[in-house]
Amino acid sequence: MKNIQACIFDLDGVIVDTAVYHYKAWKRLANDIGFDFTEHQNEQLKGVSRIASLNLILGWGNVTDKTEADKLELATRKNEWYTEMISKMTPAEILPGAREFVQSCRDAGIKTAIGSASKNTPTILAKLELLSFFDAVIDGNSVTNPKPDPEVFLKGAEALHVAPSACVVFEDAIAGVEAAINGGMKAVGIGSPELLKEANIVVSGLDKMTLEMLEEL
Ligand code: B16
Ligand code: MG
């Protein structure tokens, strides 16, 4: 595997599906304020940072009277409900094939990292018992520019001491695929080929991914 020296994985939607917990917590917040939004709208929040998600949701509810301090309080309230839910997560919630594929990369001498927008990444990885599967973890606590800015993945490459051109990013969000391309990396889309058009290849999940496919990128 000469060309590819590192694989950088997005967390939510690639390793684990936390979208359902995010949705429950955001929906509860919206309901408290006095409006609702659909699971379909929730799709637009994937890969989007906490405060940017809140701004989108408030827009859907036509809520325009919140100050920055109010928003901080609302985001904190949502995160409390969300962290309560993820505190009950178990390794059974790891998406099919994820642990196996990460392990096969490591067995082949490919370095592995997480590149996620989530500030809750350390908690989630601990609950999934996956901390020891990654050589570096770059998350929402260590980046200032959200995807599609490539910062999160470039920091991952740097931490692994691998050139961006030798990195492959696995992403379920359009902005995440764009971030990988913007950083000069290869991108494997996880999900729908219609949506993730810019990715080099798209698979439905890591259970469909093999080391041979990495070589062909
Ligand atoms: P938190 P990813 C993203 O994770 C989620 O997809 C997105 O829905 C969430 O708002 C964001 O993390 C921030 O999460 O509130 O835990 O900091 O897909 O980049 O791994
Ligand atoms: Mg994601």
Side-chain angles (χ1 to χ4, degrees):
M1 200 75 56
K2 280 189 227 93
N3 300 334
I4 304 302
Q5 293 164 28
C7 286
I8 306 178
F9 299 88
D10 172 51
L11 181 63
D12 292 338
V14 173
I15 303 289
V16 68
D17 190 6
T18 47
V20 52
Y21 301 127
H22 281 297
Y23 179 52
K24 277 188 189 163
W26 282 129
K27 190 177 163 68
R28 185 171 167 186
L29 188 76
N31 292 171
D32 272 9
I33 301 172
F35 66 96
D36 204 4
F37 67 96
T38 65
E39 206 156 355
H40 182 69
Q41 285 173 300
N42 190 62
E43 285 295 307
Q44 295 177 45
L45 305 177
K46 287 187 174 174
V48 176
S49 77
R50 194 180 307 165
I51 217 73
S53 300
L54 175 67
N55 283 325
L56 279 171
I57 293 165
L58 291 177
W60 295 335
N62 296 315
V63 179
T64 53
D65 61 345
K66 301 294 177 198
T67 64
E68 289 309 307
D70 292 338
K71 288 182 185 176
L72 207 61
E73 188 277 320
L74 292 171
T76 304
R77 210 194 302 169
K78 177 265 176 179
N79 194 53
E80 278 165 14
W81 295 326
Y82 176 70
T83 46
E84 200 192 315
M85 286 187 272
I86 60 171
S87 72
K88 298 182 188 110
M89 288 181 89
T90 72
E93 287 178 66
I94 298 171
L95 287 171
R99 184 179 17 218
E100 292 78 4
F101 181 70
V102 175
Q103 187 60 53
S104 67
C105 289
R106 298 175 69 80
D107 292 345
I110 297 170
K111 292 186 178 156
T112 56
I114 288 284
S116 167
S118 174
K119 293 184 173 173
N120 291 298
T121 295
T123 312
I124 297 169
L125 288 177
K127 286 286 158 196
L128 300 179
E129 298 174 13
L130 285 179
L131 277 168
S132 63
F133 282 67
F134 300 98
D135 302 300
V137 175
I138 313 293
D139 62 26
N141 300 295
S142 42
V143 296
T144 40
N145 303 305
K147 302 166 187 177
D149 188 287
E151 183 186 6
V152 65
F153 298 133
L154 290 177
K155 281 197 168 153
E158 198 182 316
L160 298 174
H161 307 291
V162 173
S165 59
C167 293
V168 178
V169 167
F170 295 81
E171 255 292 350
D172 70 315
I174 299 170
V177 168
E178 283 171 3
I181 307 286
N182 289 340
M185 302 178 181
K186 303 266 177 4
V188 175
I190 304 289
S192 127
E194 290 79 46
L195 216 62
L196 305 172
K197 287 190 195 79
E198 282 189 51
N200 297 87
I201 54 165
V202 179
V203 291
S204 58
L206 289 177
D207 54 341
K208 298 289 185 306
M209 194 64 208
T210 63
L211 291 180
E212 290 70 41
M213 288 159 80
L214 278 187
E215 277 177 60
E216 285 159 21
L217 286 175

